[in-house]
Amino acid sequence: DQQVKQNSPSLSVQEGRISILNCDYTNSMFDYFLWYKKYPAEGPTFLISISSIKDKNEDGRFTVFLNKSAKHLSLHIVPSQPGDSAVYFCAAHDRGSTLGRLYFGRGTQLTVWP
Amino acid sequence: DAGVIQSPRHEVTEMGQEVTLRCKPISGHDYLFWYRQTMMRGLELLIYFNNNVPIDDSGMPEDRFSAKMPNASFSTLKIQPSEPRDSAVYFCASSLSGQYGYTFGSGTRLTVV
């Protein structure tokens, strides 16, 4: 049962334009959300996060938006660069869980072309 | 800090053979997770430990899979006997209580022929 869903397996964007990666969740107990980025032959690395008490968090070219009523979050990358081409995973923490588990989506492959 | 260290990076084995994957978490981290990445399922949690104790192994696909954490600095994931459908990238990750994020290792790409 997938509690975190990334319904777009892939996204292709031209360099310089905006990339928008989407994530939906079903568990209203999720209190913290993270995005991880994964290059081929490497492990996922942390990119940006947001607490459920906020609706936006920005870090340079990366902004995450959270819409709690819709149980939806999105990652915006502006402007997109070829080096952003990677798999992006959305993850969430359940505040009902006292243990440190994250729930991951299946990932979206972003390709940024020149 | 050397990060989470996994070995081997690549493993090719024949069906029926035993495979052991190894992980050294970040020193001081008290959570350790084993994930498997496939095209079909994305990142799939297999098992995780807290203070060396297995907490949830419901993601372990079959009895052929087993994991141990004999001490705070070492964990193994064993598959015996291995099958072609076990071919995937296996990741180990560690984290610290009170922190949300994990640090992942570089993974072990397993190919069972």
Side-chain angles (χ1 to χ4, degrees):
Chain A
D1 183 22
Q2 201 80 5
Q3 298 190 49
V4 177
K5 300 178 183 179
Q6 294 177 258
N7 293 319
S8 297
S10 64
L11 174 68
S12 182
V13 172
Q14 187 175 26
E15 181 178 7
R17 295 191 177 267
I18 185 172
S19 296
I20 300 176
L21 295 93
N22 294 304
C23 179
D24 297 295
Y25 60 95
T26 58
N27 189 342
S28 59
M29 295 293 282
F30 286 156
D31 64 343
Y32 201 83
F33 303 88
L34 306 90
W35 285 94
Y36 280 80
K37 177 178 180 179
K38 183 187 174 309
Y39 291 118
E42 295 182 11
T45 56
F46 170 75
L47 181 61
I48 191 170
S49 62
I50 187 168
S51 167
S52 61
I53 63 174
K54 296 186 175 181
D55 54 18
K56 176 182 175 181
N57 188 28
E58 189 172 356
D59 183 2
R61 297 186 297 112
F62 302 91
T63 302
V64 57
F65 295 92
L66 176 62
N67 183 333
K68 289 185 290 294
S69 61
K71 292 190 176 65
H72 176 83
L73 66 156
S74 60
L75 174 67
H76 293 212
I77 306 173
V78 183
S80 302
Q81 299 174 354
D84 297 328
S85 297
V87 177
Y88 290 78
F89 291 98
C90 174
H93 174 266
D94 181 353
R95 69 168 175 265
S97 169
T98 57
L99 302 175
R101 178 185 173 172
L102 295 177
Y103 293 82
F104 284 86
R106 291 183 180 174
T108 297
Q109 170 70 58
L110 172 65
T111 302
V112 181
W113 48 281
Chain B
D1 193 336
V4 176
I5 300 173
Q6 291 187 246
S7 63
R9 288 299 307 272
H10 303 275
E11 177 79 42
V12 180
T13 190
E14 291 186 348
M15 183 174 63
Q17 296 298 306
E18 177 179 298
V19 175
T20 299
L21 312 181
R22 297 173 175 80
C23 175
K24 177 179 168 57
I26 290 175
S27 178
H29 280 191
D30 53 350
Y31 282 94
L32 184 139
F33 305 84
W34 281 100
Y35 280 86
R36 177 170 69 175
Q37 184 190 14
T38 62
M39 292 294 292
M40 290 293 294
R41 295 174 178 266
L43 276 174
E44 182 182 16
L45 178 64
L46 301 177
I47 185 171
Y48 72 103
F49 297 83
N50 179 223
N51 292 321
N52 314 337
V53 176
I55 301 301
D56 184 352
D57 66 353
S58 60
M60 297 286 259
E62 301 172 34
D63 291 345
R64 300 183 296 107
F65 286 69
S66 63
K68 294 182 179 179
M69 192 165 186
N71 56 63
S73 58
F74 184 65
S75 178
T76 59
L77 177 67
K78 185 176 294 186
I79 308 172
Q80 165 62 16
S82 57
E83 297 183 2
R85 60 192 166 126
D86 302 330
S87 298
V89 181
Y90 291 79
F91 289 103
C92 176
S94 70
S95 70
L96 187 61
S97 292
Q99 295 181 358
Y100 292 108
Y102 299 170
T103 301
F104 282 86
S106 298
T108 295
R109 178 173 293 279
L110 173 65
T111 303
V112 183
V113 298

